[in-house]
Amino acid sequence: MEIESPPVHRERIVPTGERRGLVLVHTGDGKGKSTAAFGLALRAHGRGKPVLIYQFMKVPSARFGEHRVFEQLGVPIIGLGDGFSWKSKDLEHSADLAREGWARAEATIRGGEHFLVVLDEIMYPLRYGWIALDAVLACLRERPPHVHVVLTGRGAPAELIELADTVTEMQMVKHHFKAGVPAQRGIED
Amino acid sequence: MEIESPPVHRERIVPTGERRGLVLVHTGDGKGKSTAAFGLALRAHGRGKPVLIYQFMKVPSARFGEHRVFEQLGVPIIGLGDGFSWKSKDLEHSADLAREGWARAEATIRGGEHFLVVLDEIMYPLRYGWIALDAVLACLRERPPHVHVVLTGRGAPAELIELADTVTEMQMVKHHFKAGVPAQRGIED
């Protein structure tokens, strides 16, 4: 019986190299971009590392399942948005919030006190031009070298992909919404 | 300024339909398959739902970051493997363990006491033929309708993709291992 080597183990044979913070990008139109970031946050927290999660498209009062657990664990998960949607009337307010949010996130990343900083759904304000891509790239390049940063959202800019260490595209192969199955509490939120 | 509708919000406009358990598959060669499953487990747990995680490629004594946190939260995360790798001498033992593990997982899914059951890295024993695909498909089809099941691993079989409600392919766009950066504690484990 010929056994294909399981990549999960093969991956452990890695070249010797430095231990340093990584820039990880989760993009694509499929599920799992944010939940994979939460999984990384969970793992790092489990290793006793300080973690902070910023969410650019969630309001500060969001109380999804992940907010409840991270609160219980003492991992800050901070909504920076105003519930912006394509129906929003006041996009200037959303843009202002995104800029203020980025200022907080940048200070956290540059501060170097966190092992992992998650910038959840930052691709939206980036794509809308509310946050300058150059500012984000500069912050990532100049950050303290031990800081890991995870950035999520559809449509990651090419320059960010170029700068990142690891990029995963979550591709939607199929989705239950398309079959008429609605959002399920505890799964979608 | 023309604003593209953010899909995260558009997704909330879903057809009315039943609330029921979903079969979710995370496959592909990229990162995030297991961490996204952990994120879903975290979210469901945060909603007060009973969750159980089986790991087909981890030993029972695994103490990665995720094991530490899930233990703290009271979410069982159960390694079913023997540290199998492509260097293993005794593949029959690995096959036996996979079959025993599947029997446990099947009993849990059919038992209906859990909102969400994660079958992490089940694609490996499926592809090696250690677990019969037909048995897994039958269990998923016949399970109590409220049970969500997440299955992860590269190379999901076509019949499983066909049966699943939602399938995401995590595609590797780039990976830090390829640039010579080694595994980072707290990120990879």
Side-chain angles (χ1 to χ4, degrees), chain A residues 1 4 7 11 18-19 43 66 84 127-128 161-162 164 166-167 169 171 173-174 176 182-183 189, chain B residues 1 4 9 18-19 43 66 127-128 154 161-162 164 166-167 169 171 173-174 176 182-183 187 189:
Chain A
M1 178 181 178
E4 181 190 348
E11 281 177 356
E18 83 273 49
R19 300 219 167 234
R43 176 176 285 165
E66 53 269 33
F84 159 75
R127 278 157 57 201
Y128 302 147
I161 289 174
E162 175 63 28
T166 293
V167 179
E169 185 179 347
Q171 284 207 328
V173 178
K174 60 196 288 191
H176 55 280
D189 62 18
Chain B
M1 178 180 181
E4 180 190 349
H9 287 271
E18 83 273 49
R19 302 222 166 232
R43 175 176 286 164
E66 54 268 32
R127 278 156 58 202
Y128 302 148
R154 301 182 192 211
I161 290 175
E162 174 64 28
T166 293
V167 178
E169 184 177 348
Q171 285 206 327
V173 177
K174 61 197 285 193
H176 55 278
I187 294 292
D189 62 17

Side-chain angles (χ1 to χ4, degrees), chain B residues 28-104:
Chain B
D29 63 353
K31 302 290 283 183
K33 298 183 290 293
S34 295
T35 43
F38 300 152
L40 284 171
L42 183 93
R43 175 176 286 164
H45 175 76
R47 290 289 186 190
K49 312 287 193 183
V51 175
L52 202 154
I53 302 167
Y54 288 111
Q55 298 193 289
F56 283 86
M57 301 295 285
K58 295 288 182 298
V59 296
S61 58
R63 294 288 291 154
F64 288 16
E66 54 268 32
H67 302 95
R68 295 160 195 257
V69 177
F70 281 126
E71 191 169 287
Q72 182 184 341
L73 293 170
V75 173
I77 177 166
I78 299 167
L80 299 169
D82 61 351
F84 159 75
S85 83
W86 52 282
K87 291 189 281 188
S88 288
K89 295 281 191 297
D90 190 358
L91 292 174
E92 273 315 305
H93 182 244
S94 302
D96 285 345
L97 275 185
R99 281 187 285 267
E100 287 165 21
W102 167 247
R104 288 178 67 178

Side-chain angles (χ1 to χ4, degrees), chain A residues 1 3-20 22 24 30-32 35-36 38-40 42-47 49 57-58 63-66 68-70 72-73 83-86 91 115-116 121 124 127-128 130 148 154 161-177 180-189, chain B residues 1 3-20 22 24 30-32 35-36 38-40 42-47 49 57-58 63-66 68-70 72-73 83-86 91 115-116 121 124 127-128 130 148 154 161-177 180-189:
Chain A
M1 178 181 178
I3 294 287
E4 181 190 348
S5 61
V8 69
H9 288 271
R10 191 170 50 204
E11 281 177 356
R12 288 187 187 148
I13 304 167
V14 292
T16 51
E18 83 273 49
R19 300 219 167 234
R20 63 167 176 81
L22 301 168
L24 304 122
K31 303 291 283 184
T35 43
F38 300 151
L40 283 171
L42 183 93
R43 176 176 285 165
H45 174 77
R47 290 288 186 190
K49 311 286 192 185
M57 300 295 285
K58 294 288 182 298
R63 294 287 292 154
F64 289 16
E66 53 269 33
R68 295 159 195 256
V69 177
F70 280 125
Q72 181 185 342
L73 293 170
F84 159 75
S85 84
W86 52 281
L91 292 174
F115 173 82
L116 172 64
E121 298 189 307
Y124 292 102
R127 278 157 57 201
Y128 302 147
W130 296 342
H148 299 274
R154 301 183 192 210
I161 289 174
E162 175 63 28
L163 182 145
D165 296 290
T166 293
V167 179
T168 306
E169 185 179 347
M170 277 67 171
Q171 284 207 328
M172 189 196 301
V173 178
K174 60 196 288 191
H175 194 297
H176 55 280
F177 290 156
V181 181
Q184 307 286 322
R185 163 130 317 170
I187 294 293
E188 321 286 347
D189 62 18
Chain B
M1 178 180 181
I3 295 287
E4 180 190 349
S5 60
V8 68
H9 287 271
R10 193 170 49 204
E11 279 177 356
R12 289 189 186 145
I13 304 166
V14 292
T16 50
E18 83 273 49
R19 302 222 166 232
R20 64 166 174 82
L22 301 169
L24 304 121
K31 302 290 283 183
T35 43
F38 300 152
L40 284 171
L42 183 93
R43 175 176 286 164
H45 175 76
R47 290 289 186 190
K49 312 287 193 183
M57 301 295 285
K58 295 288 182 298
R63 294 288 291 154
F64 288 16
E66 54 268 32
R68 295 160 195 257
V69 177
F70 281 126
Q72 182 184 341
L73 293 170
F84 159 75
S85 83
W86 52 282
L91 292 174
F115 174 82
L116 172 64
E121 297 189 306
Y124 293 101
R127 278 156 58 202
Y128 302 148
W130 296 343
H148 300 274
R154 301 182 192 211
I161 290 175
E162 174 64 28
L163 181 146
D165 296 290
T166 293
V167 178
T168 305
E169 184 177 348
M170 277 69 171
Q171 285 206 327
M172 189 196 301
V173 177
K174 61 197 285 193
H175 195 297
H176 55 278
F177 290 157
V181 182
Q184 307 288 323
R185 162 130 318 170
I187 294 292
E188 321 286 346
D189 62 17

Side-chain angles (χ1 to χ4, degrees), chain A residues 34 38 52-60 67 77-85 94-106 109 117-126 128 130-131 136 149-153, chain B residues 8-9:
Chain A
S34 296
F38 300 151
L52 202 154
I53 302 168
Y54 288 110
Q55 298 193 288
F56 284 85
M57 300 295 285
K58 294 288 182 298
V59 297
H67 303 95
I77 177 167
I78 299 168
L80 299 169
D82 63 350
F84 159 75
S85 84
S94 302
D96 286 344
L97 275 185
R99 281 186 285 266
E100 288 165 21
W102 167 248
R104 288 179 67 178
E106 176 165 22
I109 294 167
V117 181
V118 175
L119 306 177
D120 188 38
E121 298 189 307
I122 193 175
M123 302 311 167
Y124 292 102
L126 270 179
Y128 302 147
W130 296 342
I131 302 175
V136 174
V149 183
V150 182
L151 304 96
T152 84
Chain B
V8 68
H9 287 271

